[in-house]
Amino acid sequence: MARPEKEAAVAELAEKFRGSNAAVLTEYRGLSVAQLKRLRRALGEDATYSVSKNTLTKIAASRAGVDAFDADLKGPTAIAFITGDPVTAAKGLRDFAKDNPQLVIKAGLLDGRAMSAEEVTQLADLESREVLLAKAAGAMKATLTRGAVVVAAPLSKAVRTFEALRVQREEGAPAAPADQAEESADA
């Protein structure tokens, strides 16, 4: 490969490192072109899967300020660059690796922090960002609802007491002391 082509490949890889919020380094030895195509689909829309030479990847990573993969750049290497939800791509890699043991997850990078292969697999076990946000919103709504009930309870109790007093007066019964009216309203 001519020098300008290598320089362009390094620049492209460095830009992918800078533009992604996560990256996963894999070994793809033994996978067919059709299997790689299925893997690219399994990663989702917000991820790209690039096969590259180790020396070019190492140079591009260092230009992008990434040193997490230096020790793992051996053998046939491909990188999943993730710009969206890293959980979705990690699940795609994990599930594909279960069906195709030739795919080996070597290491990962999430928001500038190096991750081991085990940590990438643990990331795949998380729920997606949308599910976690929905759960957080539900928990906040439940807390607000409980707070509203606590604030409204004394007012509701007072209304029931006044209603019991009004009913007693309409029936012509003598007015009961406030404590008795409250007890009858709670019953």
Side-chain angles (χ1 to χ4, degrees), residues 1 3-4 8 13 18 23 32 37 45 47 53 56 63 73 77 83 87 92 105 107-108 115 123 133 140 152 165:
M1 188 184 300
R3 183 93 176 127
L13 283 171
R18 284 187 211 102
S32 68
K37 192 174 186 179
E45 296 174 3
K53 293 184 177 267
L56 299 180
R63 285 187 185 174
L73 288 171
T77 302
T83 56
V87 174
I105 298 172
M115 297 174 63
L123 180 66
L133 287 174
M140 283 188 265
L165 287 172

Side-chain angles (χ1 to χ4, degrees), residues 51-105:
V51 175
S52 67
K53 293 184 177 267
N54 292 333
T55 54
L56 299 180
T57 302
K58 190 170 187 172
I59 294 167
S62 68
R63 285 187 185 174
V66 175
D67 60 357
F69 298 142
D70 289 349
D72 296 308
L73 288 171
K74 297 175 183 95
T77 302
I79 306 168
F81 293 102
I82 305 158
T83 56
D85 185 12
V87 174
T88 303
K91 283 181 184 187
L93 282 167
R94 179 200 60 197
D95 295 345
F96 187 86
K98 282 181 185 176
D99 296 336
N100 302 282
Q102 301 95 334
L103 180 72
V104 177
I105 298 172

Side-chain angles (χ1 to χ4, degrees), residues 108-167:
L109 181 72
L110 178 62
D111 292 328
R113 186 177 89 59
M115 297 174 63
S116 67
E118 293 79 26
E119 289 174 318
V120 173
T121 304
Q122 288 174 349
L123 180 66
D125 293 336
L126 291 176
E127 293 175 336
S128 70
R129 182 178 188 274
E130 290 78 20
V131 171
L132 292 174
L133 287 174
K135 284 185 176 184
M140 283 188 265
K141 181 181 176 195
T143 302
L144 290 174
T145 301
R146 282 193 301 268
V149 168
V150 168
V151 169
L155 182 60
S156 174
K157 189 173 183 178
V159 168
R160 285 193 309 270
T161 302
F162 292 138
E163 181 61 21
L165 287 172
R166 186 189 63 77
V167 168

